[in-house]
């Protein structure tokens, strides 16, 4: 994959540092991280859902943290006494620790999370501040009679 140099853009833009850093990070491989598998869905105009397959993990084994436009989901199973006594003939359900990070856009907030049937659902919503929402500007009709009187008075 080609590497893109954003240096010229750094010189001519202000306030886009985070965007260029994200693009730089996206161009680098993620070290083949594929566990746990996940889906990202759009559930509404400003609503999203991340669904992660976390079979074998309970609520106490998972942690979700949202900080500075980054959502981090961690899973770590605590060793129990019974685990050492079990002899597996085949172990296909992975129980290894993981950490998965998602970059969130500005104004995207975590609404909630639920664990059901081995799937962790994290609901997200984009909350657009009032100052950023489009607003209609009313056009007032100017009184032309006053303007014409002023022009006549200035001409005289």
């Amino acid at each position: 994959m080609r590497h893109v140099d954003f240096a010229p853009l750094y010189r001519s833009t202000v306030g886009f540092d985070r965007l260029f850093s994200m693009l730089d990070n996206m161009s680098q491989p993620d070290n083949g991280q594929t566990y746990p598998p996940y889906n990202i869905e759009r559930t509404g105009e400003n609503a999203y859902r991340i669904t992660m397959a976390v079979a074998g993990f309970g609520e106490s084994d998972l942690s979700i943290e949202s900080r500075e436009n980054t959502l981090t989901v961690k899973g770590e199973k605590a060793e129990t006494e019974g685990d050492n006594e079990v002899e597996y003939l085949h172990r296909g359900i992975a129980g290894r620790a993981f950490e998965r990070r998602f970059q969130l856009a500005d104004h995207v907030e975590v609404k909630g999370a639920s664990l059901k049937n081995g799937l962790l659902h994290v609901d997200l919503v984009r909350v657009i501040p009032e100052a950023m929402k489009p607003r209609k500007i009313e056009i007032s009709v100017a009184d032309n009679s006053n303007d014409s009187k002023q022009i006549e008075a200035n001409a005289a």
Side-chain angles (χ1 to χ4, degrees):
M1 181 175 224
R2 296 184 331 189
H3 178 71
V4 179
D5 183 20
F6 293 111
L9 295 173
Y10 281 121
R11 291 190 297 263
S12 62
T13 59
V14 177
F16 291 95
D17 302 343
R18 186 174 154 270
L19 173 66
F20 297 134
S21 296
M22 276 180 37
L23 290 172
D24 273 339
N25 290 338
M26 291 178 81
S27 67
Q28 298 171 358
D30 62 352
N31 300 328
Q33 183 182 16
T34 60
Y35 179 77
Y38 65 93
N39 293 336
I40 300 176
E41 310 165 47
R42 181 180 216 144
T43 59
E45 185 176 337
N46 289 314
Y48 305 90
R49 173 179 270 185
I50 298 173
T51 302
M52 300 179 72
V54 291
F57 286 86
E59 291 176 28
S60 61
D61 302 326
L62 299 168
S63 68
I64 302 171
E65 181 179 297
S66 178
R67 179 188 305 172
E68 297 176 6
N69 295 27
T70 302
L71 174 68
T72 305
V73 180
K74 294 180 185 177
E76 191 170 3
K77 288 190 69 145
E79 297 260 342
T80 59
E81 294 177 21
D83 287 345
N84 296 335
E85 299 172 4
V86 178
E87 180 183 348
Y88 290 100
L89 299 178
H90 171 75
R91 188 166 190 171
I93 300 174
R96 63 183 181 265
F98 67 88
E99 180 174 327
R100 178 71 78 168
R101 295 178 188 265
F102 300 93
Q103 292 295 320
L104 303 178
D106 291 336
H107 311 297
V108 173
E109 299 174 0
V110 178
K111 187 176 173 184
S114 62
L115 182 64
K116 182 178 180 184
N117 298 331
L119 296 174
L120 175 66
H121 302 285
V122 181
D123 292 315
L124 307 166
V125 64
R126 181 182 349 193
V127 180
I128 302 172
E130 285 295 322
M132 295 184 74
K133 289 183 180 176
R135 58 188 174 105
K136 183 148 176 96
I137 308 297
E138 300 235 1
I139 301 172
S140 61
V141 178
D143 186 13
N144 290 337
S145 62
N146 289 339
D147 290 342
S148 62
K149 288 180 186 176
Q150 274 187 329
I151 293 172
E152 289 172 10
N154 289 338

